[in-house]
Amino acid sequence: MREALRRALPSVLAIVASLAACFVAVGLTRGFGTAVDAFAAMLWGAFGDWPRFFDDGGSGAVLRPLGEAGTKAALLTFTGLSVAVAFRVGLFNIGAQGQLMVGAVVAAVVGAQVELPGVLHVAVCLGTAAAAGALYALGPALLKRHRGVHEVISTIMLNWVAVSLVENWLVVGPLRASASGDNSISGTAQVHPSAELPRLLGDTSRLNLGFVLALVAAAVTWWFLARLKRGYEWRAVGLNPEAARAAGIDVGRSVVHAMCLAGAFAGLAGAVLVLGTELKYPATLGAPYGFDGIAMALIGGGHPLGVLGSALFFGGLRAGGTRMQLFGVHKSFPELIQGLALLLVAARYVWDRLLARLAKKEAARA
Amino acid sequence: MIELAHISKRFGAVAALDDVSLRIEPGERLALIGENGAGKSSLMNVLYGLYHPDAGEVRFDGRPVKVRTPAEALARGVGMVHQHFTLVPTLTVAENVVLGAEPSRGGLLDLDAAVAQVQASCRRFGFSVDARARVDSLTVGSQQKVEIVKALHRGVKTLILDEPTAVLTPQEADELFSVTRALSESGLAVVLISHKLKEVLAFATRLAVMRRGRKVAEVAPKDTTAEALAALMVGEGNASDSPLPGPLPAGRGEVVLRAERLAADKLHDVSFSLHAGEVLGIAGVDGNGQRELAEVLTGLRAFTGTLELFGRRCAALSPGEARGLGVAHVPEDRLRRAVVADMTVEENVALGRHGAPPFAKGPLIDFAGRRARTAQLLDAHDVRPRDGTLRVGALSGGNQQKLVVARELDAQPKVLVVVQPTRGLDIAAVAAVRARIHDERARGCAVLLVSLDLDEVLALSDRVLVFFEGRVTAELDRAAFDERLIGRRMLGVADA
């Protein structure tokens, strides 16, 4: 436990430091009164407006922000896991965005074009989306295994292929919904109600089953990596592929499997986005959750539960960030905070030095 | 003159250095000897600015100086050549040597000037190295020369060599010592960190013995013997300089491994057979195909030719299959091949055997079984500290090696391939590892021993194959061992 806290400390410090930096930036440009108001609004918007809840007892004041935070966190968790799982075998999956798009469009098609009874429909949509994401990651994995092609290059390029294929062609071409009445429709056809992910809080919030799935996915991934033989093999491959090979572990197979799991997670993120909130593949996907996954994985230290933690936190900030606009502060501040935190985590060396010095001082005092 | 006065340095609870004082005079050859973890390297790392002492001070010509970085040490004329070289493999010798103080012309690197400077340095210091050669094309011995030239080129007056002969052939070691002896006679102070008693007795003008972070003795070579030094290093009266197991009993079993016209990369057309209950030694100068042979037999390298294991012909062999058939491997480079430094001792004990009890229960890791087996192995092989939850990277090199040996032997192998098993180990660890090899042989295991230490090969083997340029140039039974003949065959020299 202590060890886990010690490992999480640099990430926590990075987040605190970037929050402080942004606070100062807002304070200097808009005045510190506004900064306090804006940050309070963000906080209430992220983790529930507790003061108002205690004032008038309306549970919506708490549930609505929390629901929105959970909805965003679910997506960040899936893409974060996607990147983190690949990290574990020593690969950098920059292709989560592309895999997410492919998963999303498959979920939209299966959700809208196939008719199945309730539970089954959701399961089939999720399954096909995960399979599509995995298949989309399989190419780079095989190229890596057999030809030594660097996965960073191949997955980045496949991101662009996904943009062209899905958003520039399928969604505006063959899969475009036919206009009904005089509504001009963008994106694909609406999915059937049977394919929608059930909402957890009724009409109060968009929070849906995807959030539960994300929690389960993070827990299962942790369990797999920490408790299973195969997870142990993956970790050994990531930490020292040559020693893993000499120990008889099939390094190539581990790489391919891990990459496919990474793709499946990203594909699931796409499915959760489509089946949970958008209910179709929209004209454009909006936030680049696939790339945010890189930030979640790094800030989460590559650990599934760390990923979950940072996804919950930044999901909250994203949800609350929109409320900063009420005070004239741009809503992209949460992303700025995330970017700064990522930068600081990447500069881990700084933290390690600082922590070492603090530990020394403490030891000297003791 | 350099003085290290009352230096202490702790790492956590461990005192690496405990009130150590040492003087280094110009022109002397000081040997710093002691077991692994005795504090030799730590002490020199303090002088070289890599470690900062908790107490005590470093004095240059009587003046206390804080050496904070290697750059400051270099500026004060102290250079250090580590066991692991710090050269850029894709640059040339000249580029490496001038790195950090490059001659330039109009803001551009003046390569011709660099080559000229380096050639001049090499000539002046008596080294024969091609300044235009790329470092990765050089042998280990030549790379070490480049490291030394690099230090001397900076005008170093005190040169620290950290176990320089660990990677060298006997000839290269001799050459190293004759060159450095000449340098010291012209005023350079040389500090040699070593635990090879023979070489320090021949080379040094003064000896300082360290044990468990303390300096326990300082003697002149003429006033001592290898036995006395060994006793000081180990702290007991019973250690000997050559802790080799006694003579080998004759008696070998059936053929377990047969190789015919085996070839792979540097290995050409090698045929031999290996019997149960024998130690087959491979002698040769570094880089003559021994490494490739070990890799082929353990499934790490593709090959052509015929390989039969236990009567079964293997057209190809994967590391997993080799293990499955009962081939264990103690590789040369343990940090690269044998252990995952960032995993715990327990996790490393399971490595390669993690799929079966006591390390696994079905698809799950069996944590209790793994912990129990690890504790048992750490005890049986005296791996210190006895803590299975430590990162392997935190263990000393000797204890890492003991851990690897413990793990590989725990699998009860039928064939054991060991490469350089005692390289860099202290006397006690060397004796332990050699005794284990001997035990395995007695158990009926077939052992293939690759070592660059000819004494070791001769002491442990029933039979020796001499390798030169990837071919077998001699095969001798124990009764016919002839060091001089083997030496000639190692160098590819025909009989006169």
Side-chain angles (χ1 to χ4, degrees), chain A residues 284-352:
Chain A
T284 53
L285 263 190
Y289 288 104
F291 295 119
D292 288 330
I294 297 170
M296 294 306 114
L298 285 172
I299 295 173
H303 192 288
L305 302 184
V307 168
L308 181 62
S310 52
L312 289 173
F313 183 78
F314 284 104
L317 286 199
R318 292 288 178 81
T322 42
R323 300 204 180 188
M324 288 179 127
Q325 293 178 97
L326 299 173
F327 299 91
V329 175
H330 200 266
K331 68 174 160 102
S332 62
F333 258 89
E335 278 155 59
L336 186 59
I337 292 169
Q338 177 184 312
L340 272 177
L342 179 60
L343 212 62
L344 290 172
V345 167
R348 193 141 206 160
Y349 175 71
V350 178
W351 298 111
D352 287 346

Side-chain angles (χ1 to χ4, degrees), chain B residues 218-454:
Chain B
E218 216 172 278
V219 287
K222 61 176 167 39
D223 301 329
T224 187
T225 62
E227 288 73 32
L229 287 177
L232 283 169
M233 282 165 64
V234 186
E236 293 146 23
N238 57 4
S240 107
D241 181 24
S242 53
L244 308 174
L248 296 160
R252 57 187 196 181
E254 77 240 47
V255 173
V256 291
L257 185 154
R258 210 169 60 79
E260 212 166 296
R261 306 189 63 98
L262 217 52
D265 204 3
K266 276 188 186 172
L267 194 67
H268 309 293
D269 206 14
V270 168
S271 304
F272 67 93
S273 52
L274 179 64
H275 297 253
E278 77 164 344
V279 177
L280 176 62
I282 308 292
V285 177
D286 192 15
N288 277 285
Q290 309 99 307
R291 187 169 299 129
E292 285 74 12
L293 176 65
E295 287 175 358
V296 165
L297 299 184
T298 51
L300 288 163
R301 188 179 277 271
F303 61 91
T304 59
T306 312
L307 178 63
E308 261 181 37
L309 274 165
F310 314 107
R312 246 184 59 188
R313 204 171 149 169
C314 309
L317 190 66
S318 78
E321 286 163 359
R323 272 177 191 280
L325 287 170
V327 180
H329 185 203
V330 178
E332 175 178 19
D333 191 342
R334 55 183 166 263
L335 283 177
R336 195 167 85 89
R337 277 239 164 102
V339 296
V340 181
D342 281 323
M343 281 186 156
T344 65
V345 169
E346 284 176 11
E347 285 175 311
N348 273 284
V349 164
L351 194 63
R353 302 182 291 154
H354 53 276
F359 303 105
K361 247 190 253 162
L364 293 170
I365 298 170
D366 182 350
F367 288 93
R370 195 172 77 181
R371 190 169 313 127
R373 179 63 70 94
T374 302
Q376 200 181 317
L377 285 181
L378 296 188
D379 264 338
H381 291 257
D382 191 26
V383 180
R384 285 178 232 186
R386 301 267 201 281
D387 182 353
T389 63
L390 279 181
R391 274 179 66 244
V392 161
L395 300 184
S396 73
N399 282 304
Q400 287 171 358
Q401 183 73 349
K402 281 198 235 170
L403 182 71
V404 172
V405 171
R407 176 185 72 204
E408 295 300 313
L409 298 190
D410 190 42
Q412 301 263 317
K414 299 196 188 93
V415 174
L416 176 63
V417 178
V418 283
V419 185
Q420 296 272 69
T422 59
R423 173 181 155 185
L425 302 192
D426 61 46
I427 292 177
V430 167
V433 168
R434 289 181 178 173
R436 298 291 172 189
I437 291 172
H438 202 220
D439 292 347
E440 283 308 293
R441 175 188 178 284
R443 192 174 61 78
C445 178
V447 182
L448 186 99
L449 167 70
V450 177
S451 177
L452 300 179
D453 182 348
L454 185 55

Side-chain angles (χ1 to χ4, degrees), chain A residues 223 225-230 232-233 235-236 239-240 242-249 360, chain B residues 300 319-320 323 335-337 339-340 343 347 350-352 354-355 360 362-365 367:
Chain A
W223 179 75
L225 287 172
R227 296 276 185 258
L228 254 60
K229 287 193 299 199
R230 194 47 71 74
Y232 164 87
E233 290 189 356
R235 285 186 290 124
L239 291 169
N240 187 347
E242 188 56 32
R245 184 171 87 94
I249 295 170
K360 223 181 191 174
Chain B
L300 288 163
R323 272 177 191 280
L335 283 177
R336 195 167 85 89
R337 277 239 164 102
V339 296
V340 181
M343 281 186 156
E347 285 175 311
L351 194 63
H354 53 276
L364 293 170
I365 298 170
F367 288 93

